[in-house]
Amino acid sequence: MSTAVTEAKFFACNQSTILAEKIVAAYGAKLGNVITSTYSDGEFQPSFEESVRGSRVFIIGSTHPNSDHLMEMLLMLDAAKRASARHITAVLPYYGWARQDRKDKPRVPIAAKLIAKMLETAGATRIITMDLHADQIQGFFEKPVDHLFASTIFLPYLQSLNLSDLTIASPDMGGSKRAYAYSKALKSDVVICYKQRAKANVISHMELIGDVTGKNVVLVDDMVDTAGTLTKAADLMIERGAKSVRAICTHPILSGTAYEKLANSKLEELIVTDSIPLRQKSDKIRVVSCADLFADVMHRVHHNESISSKFIM
């Protein structure tokens, strides 16, 4: 019986080409050739320009809105399936539509579940992603999910800052578990912001639970969208006597006027990963690459090795 290892091949969706190149370089391989043809009405068709028959295929692409990013991933999964790839892994540094993980009012979709079913139907036999908006989204899949934590790369950076009087903060009640995990690893205090929303992306009221007087505060969240919560929380903490406020957010969506809010806020810096490419540069944004983390996990997955050491918390 043959014991040959299935060949691994790597392909990138257009929106994640830069990150994919970093991941594949860290892996020690090269990106495969994909050509995307576009019709005049905007319809597009990706095409693998090399054989993937019998291979383990990794398709790398974040599915942040707009919906073309998701559609490109689905089409590439389907193409790999129909080209007889043996294993098809969707590598989603950012899993889009994850905020719609439940019915928070009548007659709304559970989009995170829908996306999971679409990825599986298209052909994904495994999912690798990072810092889902809610851990239980893993349960929406019938296929294996490797849910990585950006704490693996953020904690060493925080430790390198050597901040005295460090306090970890959650910008809302939902992120308290993540904040407590960071505080345990860093042996620091925790404070929590309590906010009420008038509607999506609009905060009507915010209060602080805990004391930040004389503290160097680090806000921890899974994503930053309009930056309204982070900047409001930072300003509130400075008013309450904090020495400094930083923020760690895995996914830099940064939509609307987010860059202007950051520039005008009391935040010293915003530390993010490159799961989503930045729309523009900012002196307040520091990017810590997740490429090495994904490359290591993909290598372990391909060689059927344990990845438990990658889960710091």
Side-chain angles (χ1 to χ4, degrees), residues 180-193:
Y180 278 115
Y182 271 83
S183 70
K184 183 178 180 181
L186 296 167
K187 298 180 173 60
S188 65
D189 296 331
V190 180
V191 298
I192 298 173
C193 294

Side-chain angles (χ1 to χ4, degrees), residues 40-200:
S40 61
D41 65 351
E43 179 183 338
F44 55 90
Q45 179 190 62
S47 169
F48 294 110
E49 296 300 303
E50 59 188 79
S51 175
V52 296
R53 183 178 298 273
S55 300
R56 182 189 294 275
V57 172
F58 292 94
I59 301 175
I60 305 166
S62 290
T63 56
H64 52 293
N66 66 42
S67 56
D68 281 357
H69 299 155
L70 172 61
M71 192 65 192
E72 182 182 13
M73 171 61 75
L74 295 173
L75 291 175
M76 290 183 69
L77 290 170
D78 186 71
K81 177 179 67 177
R82 296 177 188 280
S84 301
R86 182 173 298 180
H87 305 286
I88 307 171
T89 301
V91 182
L92 309 164
Y94 173 65
Y95 183 87
W97 282 269
R99 283 174 283 187
Q100 299 180 55
D101 61 342
R102 67 198 184 284
K103 287 185 67 174
D104 55 358
K105 64 179 183 179
R107 299 176 296 280
V108 296
I110 303 179
K113 167 70 171 177
L114 173 63
I115 302 305
K117 299 302 291 182
M118 292 169 69
L119 290 168
E120 290 179 338
T121 300
T125 59
R126 190 180 198 96
I127 307 294
I128 301 177
T129 189
M130 180 174 65
D131 277 8
L132 290 167
H133 188 61
D135 291 346
Q136 60 267 26
I137 290 174
Q138 297 172 77
F140 292 166
F141 289 89
E142 300 301 324
K143 305 296 184 182
V145 176
D146 297 313
H147 181 210
L148 311 182
F149 299 115
S151 55
T152 307
I153 52 181
F154 283 147
L155 283 173
Y157 176 77
L158 279 180
Q159 291 164 341
S160 73
L161 296 177
N162 294 316
L163 295 172
S164 61
D165 301 312
L166 176 64
T167 293
I168 299 298
S170 172
D172 52 38
M173 300 297 288
S176 58
K177 179 182 177 182
R178 182 180 292 106
Y180 278 115
Y182 271 83
S183 70
K184 183 178 180 181
L186 296 167
K187 298 180 173 60
S188 65
D189 296 331
V190 180
V191 298
I192 298 173
C193 294
Y194 172 74
K195 66 184 179 184
Q196 293 179 328
R197 290 192 184 276
K199 58 182 179 179

